[in-house]
Amino acid sequence: AQSVTQLGSHVSVSEGALVLLRCNYSSSVPPYLFWYVQYPNQGLQLLLKYTSAATLVKGINGFEAEFKKSETSFHLTKPSAHMSDAAEYFCAVSESGANSKLTFGKGITLSVRP
Amino acid sequence: SQTIHQWPATLVQPVGSPLSLECTVEGTSNPNLYWYRQAAGRGLQLLFYSVGIGQISSEVPQNLSASRPQDRQFILSSKKLLLSDSGFYLCAWSVLRASLYFGAGTRLSVL
């Protein structure tokens, strides 16, 4: 069985500060890992994904995430937060041999202070 | 390019009334289709998924059902809504081993 843990429900940063959103996963087989972003009253948009190629994955809007097998982590970072980054962020995992059945974390809300 | 349409965007229904939410995908063939529900503070819960016409898998026991009458059409239904059915419903599609792509969602309020 696979699972994702996103600790905390809310992160607040100042505009221009580093963004770090944590994600730890559990999977019995090599995982595929994803980060999605959701703006209010909208669907989820794929930010980036790891599918067993390079461990440092770059996504849209300046975000990146690093797969660390030893730590079972896939934390999302952005060097400098922008007001438009305020949204809810979801980490998700699927088993690499599976049929795209994703398991999502509970999500974390990012607030950006001016 | 592929697009996914989901409607309506918002819906207010009385308890005990029926429900029909529709989702269609364009620009791809034989997609996997999914219905998720998002309740406040609870993340996303997979309700149903389908790998082909007429093939529906239910992930959790509930008051809802799903159907796939055509390759790119996925319908979420209920005969009698409960208060606990309120939430944000998201349809999504994928092709084998690829990422999920989501519709814009339907906000359902059962009163």
Side-chain angles (χ1 to χ4, degrees):
Chain A
Q2 57 201 27
S3 65
V4 168
T5 301
Q6 292 183 255
L7 290 177
S9 60
H10 187 226
V11 168
S12 181
V13 300
S14 297
E15 191 174 18
L18 171 72
V19 175
L20 170 61
L21 304 179
R22 299 179 185 275
C23 172
N24 289 88
Y25 70 90
S26 172
S27 177
S28 57
V29 298
Y32 287 173
L33 293 159
F34 307 80
W35 275 100
Y36 284 84
V37 61
Q38 184 181 32
Y39 300 100
N41 293 311
Q42 294 186 25
L44 277 71
Q45 180 183 6
L46 180 66
L47 272 180
L48 51 80
K49 64 181 179 182
Y50 165 77
T51 56
S52 74
T55 56
L56 182 62
V57 181
K58 294 186 183 298
I60 62 171
N61 302 339
F63 284 93
E64 62 182 37
E66 186 172 9
F67 172 68
K68 292 187 176 180
K69 183 178 178 181
S70 61
E71 299 177 8
T72 61
S73 69
F74 190 58
H75 302 330
L76 182 70
T77 61
K78 181 174 180 178
S80 177
H82 192 272
M83 297 298 290
S84 61
D85 295 327
E88 191 161 16
Y89 291 80
F90 292 90
C91 184
V93 62
S94 73
E95 295 180 353
S96 56
N99 206 354
S100 299
K101 213 166 122 183
L102 269 64
T103 299
F104 286 85
K106 291 187 181 296
I108 189 160
T109 300
L110 175 66
S111 299
V112 182
R113 304 183 301 271
Chain B
S1 64
Q2 300 90 354
T3 56
I4 179 169
H5 302 281
Q6 191 180 339
W7 67 93
T10 59
L11 191 60
V12 180
Q13 292 284 96
V15 170
S17 64
L19 173 74
S20 181
L21 302 181
E22 189 163 343
C23 171
T24 59
V25 180
E26 296 178 358
T28 186
S29 296
N30 198 29
N32 296 331
L33 296 173
Y34 306 81
W35 279 110
Y36 282 86
R37 177 168 58 201
Q38 188 176 20
R42 296 183 60 185
L44 282 89
Q45 181 183 35
L46 178 61
L47 302 177
F48 300 96
Y49 72 95
S50 171
V51 298
I53 295 173
Q55 300 178 63
I56 309 294
S57 295
S58 174
E59 288 295 295
V60 293
Q62 58 203 315
N63 184 43
L64 302 168
S65 62
S67 62
R68 185 169 177 175
Q70 300 180 44
D71 180 46
R72 288 170 285 179
Q73 183 185 28
F74 205 25
I75 298 171
L76 183 69
S77 304
S78 175
K79 292 182 179 178
K80 289 186 178 181
L81 283 169
L82 305 172
L83 286 174
S84 57
D85 293 323
S86 294
F88 192 48
Y89 288 83
L90 291 159
C91 180
W93 70 273
S94 72
V95 178
L96 186 63
R97 299 184 186 176
S99 312
L100 279 179
Y101 297 94
F102 286 84
T106 296
R107 175 77 57 193
L108 172 65
S109 298
V110 182
L111 305 177

